[in-house]
Amino acid sequence: MHIGSIIRYYRTKLGIKQYELADDVCSPAHLCKIENNPNEGNDETINLLLDKLGIDLEKELQKEIDLKYTYEEFANNIRFVNINQSQRQYNTLRNNQVFIELMDFHNHYQIMLIPFYIISEQFESLEDQYNLCNKISKSFNKDESILFEIVKAFYYIYKLNYSKAKAILLDTLKKTNAINVSYRGDIDYALALCYYNLNEYEKALNSTIFAYRYYQNEDNFQQVGHCLAILADSYKNLNLNEEAEATYKKLIRTSEMLGNHKLLNKGIYEYGLLQTNKVILEETLTLFDLPLEQNSGDVSTQLESILSKIDLMMKSNIHK
């Protein structure tokens, strides 16, 4: 954001006309150039305009730095699925919405609101945001356009339209030629979800392995857990039961460490279904009890844990 944008923002906010602010400082035409061109205006003219508006430039520049840092953390926490932290940062950014519209990350912010609304389950806001991004997409630069295509794919995955999401992702890979490494892991993860849900299990394995390595390298453990779930399910559907068992075990350990009880329930349940040894199965069933005893997770997750345990016992002919 340049100084002219700050001047325009506060002039508009205070309801001052251009000719009023320009009076005794410069011509209205020159003020218009200053507000719209970062290279216009000498220091003396700029300082006179700032003084008339009562703007502390140092304070405003610090505010810009702080908001930019907050946004970077917001985007990072979305990718790392830190919902509580991203919600706090979202509240700060939303309270400065008008100011953010002047900043160079404005479009990026608008795009990243889509995955934020998905992971935080704010679905009404999601639809409005998706429609907004479609409307303003012509103003996106190349990097923003690529990001929007990836985010669009996740939107269609949320809608369970895996074929559409897959087509978008494959087209994006062709366009980028795998140059945009910062998004490559997310593309592979999204493709893995598509392939798995379209019953293309071998392709799901390949994409998940790439995404798994990517998330491991950046210590994105929540996404590592989700990758393990896709890997294990794909192995199971390909009748690679030994690989599936080993991966479900890893999923159980990882989700326990993360405190992700939904993934933990899934891992225990699927691992139990593969068990033929009754002793090992009995031990597996006890794993459901720990989160229940600790009263951890929300009520729906606890209920899911109880029902999963009952279902597993019934399918395994264990009567208690």
Side-chain angles (χ1 to χ4, degrees):
M1 181 174 64
H2 58 84
I3 296 173
S5 296
I6 297 175
I7 292 171
R8 183 176 66 249
Y9 170 72
Y10 281 103
R11 178 183 62 75
T12 305
K13 184 178 181 181
L14 295 170
I16 300 173
K17 304 293 184 183
Q18 280 188 332
Y19 72 87
E20 294 174 321
L21 180 59
D23 188 38
D24 294 331
V25 178
C26 63
S27 68
H30 187 45
L31 173 58
C32 183
K33 288 182 179 179
I34 290 172
E35 288 186 346
N36 292 285
N37 191 327
N39 299 316
E40 285 291 333
N42 57 45
D43 290 344
E44 183 180 357
T45 303
I46 295 293
N47 288 331
L48 286 170
L49 292 170
L50 293 173
D51 287 341
K52 285 189 75 171
L53 290 168
I55 297 172
D56 183 337
L57 183 58
E58 188 175 334
K59 184 178 178 181
E60 294 304 315
L61 292 175
Q62 185 58 51
K63 182 179 181 180
E64 179 184 2
I65 292 169
D66 292 344
L67 282 175
K68 191 168 185 178
Y69 173 78
T70 300
Y71 173 67
E72 288 171 354
E73 288 300 295
F74 172 69
N76 197 45
N77 281 318
I78 291 169
R79 292 198 63 258
F80 279 69
V81 202
N82 293 329
I83 299 173
N84 292 334
Q85 290 184 42
S86 60
Q87 181 66 56
R88 286 194 293 271
Q89 288 145 359
Y90 168 72
N91 293 338
T92 300
L93 295 166
R94 185 177 57 181
N95 291 335
N96 292 276
Q97 179 69 35
V98 177
F99 201 75
I100 287 173
E101 288 176 5
L102 306 174
M103 298 186 182
D104 57 4
F105 64 81
H106 170 63
N107 284 339
H108 205 281
Y109 167 66
Q110 295 297 335
I111 297 167
M112 288 303 291
L113 283 174
I114 295 172
F116 169 71
Y117 288 139
I118 291 174
I119 67 171
S120 60
E121 300 182 356
Q122 299 181 47
F123 300 126
E124 288 185 12
S125 299
L126 168 64
E127 296 303 326
D128 291 339
Q129 192 61 34
Y130 180 77
N131 291 332
L132 171 65
C133 285
N134 268 324
K135 286 180 183 177
I136 65 173
S137 60
K138 289 183 179 179
S139 68
F140 295 164
N141 62 33
K142 185 178 179 181
D143 190 57
E144 291 163 350
S145 295
I146 293 168
L147 176 62
F148 183 47
E149 289 302 300
I150 298 167
V151 166
K152 195 186 293 184
F154 278 105
Y155 171 80
Y156 281 110
I157 288 170
Y158 153 71
K159 291 285 192 179
L160 306 182
N161 191 340
Y162 300 106
S163 296
K164 177 74 171 177
K166 173 185 165 184
I168 291 171
L169 291 164
L170 292 176
D171 186 55
T172 302
L173 277 177
K174 287 179 185 176
K175 289 177 182 176
T176 59
N177 197 24
I179 291 172
N180 291 275
V181 180
S182 59
Y183 303 138
R184 183 58 201 257
D186 299 318
I187 293 174
D188 284 321
Y189 173 65
L191 269 174
L193 286 171
C194 294
Y195 285 136
Y196 178 79
N197 285 284
L198 293 169
N199 301 326
E200 299 178 64
Y201 301 121
E202 288 187 9
K203 289 182 178 180
L205 274 178
N206 291 331
S207 291
T208 310
I209 288 168
F210 281 118
Y212 178 78
R213 290 171 182 165
Y214 177 84
Y215 291 132
Q216 266 195 322
N217 287 337
E218 65 173 19
D219 297 330
N220 190 340
F221 299 117
Q222 289 287 354
Q223 290 297 79
V224 164
H226 288 292
C227 286
L228 286 171
I230 301 173
L231 272 177
D233 287 349
S234 298
Y235 283 134
K236 182 185 72 174
N237 282 288
L238 290 168
N239 295 316
L240 299 170
N241 289 340
E242 285 186 19
E243 290 85 350
E245 281 193 31
T247 309
Y248 280 127
K249 278 176 154 180
K250 191 179 289 188
L251 173 61
I252 291 167
R253 290 194 297 270
T254 302
S255 52
E256 268 189 313
M257 179 189 72
L258 294 171
N260 189 327
H261 297 103
K262 284 190 176 294
L263 271 182
L264 178 59
N265 284 339
K266 174 181 174 52
I268 297 170
Y269 179 76
E270 297 292 348
Y271 178 64
L273 286 178
L274 289 173
Q275 294 302 328
T276 55
N277 186 310
K278 294 294 182 184
V279 175
I280 296 176
L281 180 57
E282 289 277 6
E283 292 177 357
T284 301
L285 286 166
T286 63
L287 295 175
F288 280 115
D289 298 330
L290 184 60
L292 291 171
E293 290 169 0
Q294 294 175 339
N295 199 30
S296 51
D298 58 30
V299 174
S300 63
T301 307
Q302 291 180 43
L303 181 59
E304 183 182 302
S305 180
I306 295 168
L307 293 173
S308 296
K309 183 175 182 179
I310 292 170
D311 189 54
L312 185 55
M313 289 165 65
M314 290 176 69
K315 286 178 177 174
S316 306
N317 294 317
I318 296 175
H319 302 289
K320 290 190 181 179

